[in-house]
Amino acid sequence: MCSHLLVILQSKVDFQHSPLPSDPRAGGRSIRHDSGEFAKPVSSKGICLDDIHLTSEDLEMYIDLAPFLNPSPYIVPEDMSLTKVYNLFRQLGLRHLFVVPRPSRVIGLITRKDLLIE
């Protein structure tokens, strides 16, 4: 993820004056990057922070990172055992996992039967 942030900073196309997310319906441009921009060149270690030149005006700008984030990440309760957390990382190939407080409420239920084609 750090290398992705460096690409976004270097391109400067996503800089905005407000910390609030831009509304695409209000004439704001959608944030789009080619996936090739995030790939490291074979012969290099990629971009480093020293390669990015930001002006004092750039440093006053904001970047809405919402388009780059997973809107529904994997989460675990704060009291889940380390063994179960380890198994989630191994089985799902996760790079990160959010820990949330235990008291939470159920808002729905999906069963295996719900997923079967009738």
Side-chain angles (χ1 to χ4, degrees):
M1 185 63 178
C2 186
S3 61
H4 286 54
L5 289 173
L6 292 172
V7 169
I8 294 167
L9 284 172
Q10 186 179 38
S11 71
K12 298 183 183 182
V13 297
D14 299 317
F15 284 16
Q16 59 188 35
H17 291 283
S18 168
L20 302 175
S22 58
D23 185 3
R25 295 169 295 179
R29 60 182 151 61
S30 62
I31 301 173
R32 301 204 189 275
H33 286 272
D34 182 2
S35 60
E37 292 179 71
F38 298 113
K40 293 180 184 176
V42 177
S43 62
S44 144
K45 293 182 179 178
I47 304 169
C48 95
L49 192 56
D50 295 331
D51 298 335
I52 300 173
H53 304 291
L54 298 172
T55 66
S56 58
E57 185 177 312
D58 292 338
L59 295 174
E60 297 296 320
M61 302 292 267
Y62 295 89
I63 298 175
D64 178 15
L65 296 176
F68 303 99
L69 299 176
N70 180 354
S72 51
Y74 285 99
I75 60 172
V76 295
E78 62 188 341
D79 58 353
M80 181 177 263
S81 74
L82 184 56
T83 304
K84 288 182 181 179
V85 170
Y86 176 77
N87 286 332
L88 281 174
F89 273 94
R90 290 204 54 212
Q91 293 171 354
L92 300 175
L94 301 178
R95 296 182 68 177
H96 57 272
L97 195 56
F98 290 100
V99 179
V100 296
R102 185 52 153 166
S104 58
R105 61 187 189 107
V106 176
I107 60 169
L109 174 71
I110 299 174
T111 65
R112 187 180 313 202
K113 186 176 179 182
D114 295 328
L115 300 176
L116 295 176
I117 299 172
E118 294 187 32

